[in-house]
């Protein structure tokens, strides 16, 4: 699933490691999600959206 995590994270000057700590996952998990190699659980998607001050539907773009 495509997402805007990396774009939003960088615009807010948040490191992958910092976002990972806030969401209680590893930096590698954040990296895998940003590179579209892993789709997060629903709970993690909500945590990411909350920590990036956005909504899940604005953070993830469904593929058609």
């Amino acid at each position: 699933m495509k997402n805007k995590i990396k774009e939003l994270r960088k615009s807010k000057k948040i490191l992958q490691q910092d976002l990972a700590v806030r969401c209680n996952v590893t930096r590698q998990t954040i990296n895998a999600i940003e590179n579209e190699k892993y789709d997060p659980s629903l709970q993690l998607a909500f945590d990411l959206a909350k920590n990036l001050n956005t909504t899940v539907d604005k953070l993830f773009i469904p593929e058609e």
Side-chain angles (χ1 to χ4, degrees):
M1 180 177 292
K2 298 205 179 282
N3 65 73
K4 298 180 181 179
I5 296 171
K6 187 174 189 176
E7 176 185 319
L8 285 171
R9 180 180 59 74
K10 285 190 169 196
S11 73
K12 296 179 182 300
K13 296 181 171 66
I14 301 171
L15 297 174
Q16 281 184 341
Q17 181 63 40
D18 295 335
L19 183 57
V21 168
R22 293 180 191 184
C23 294
N24 200 31
V25 295
T26 65
R27 184 199 59 78
Q28 290 85 350
T29 299
I30 299 298
N31 184 273
I33 296 168
E34 286 183 352
N35 290 305
E36 299 168 13
K37 295 181 179 179
Y38 174 74
D39 288 334
S41 67
L42 186 56
Q43 182 61 55
L44 180 52
F46 276 104
D47 290 345
L48 289 165
K50 178 182 172 188
N51 281 287
L52 293 171
N53 199 30
T54 190
T55 59
V56 172
D57 62 318
K58 291 180 182 173
L59 193 57
F60 294 94
I61 302 125
E63 296 185 55
E64 297 179 27

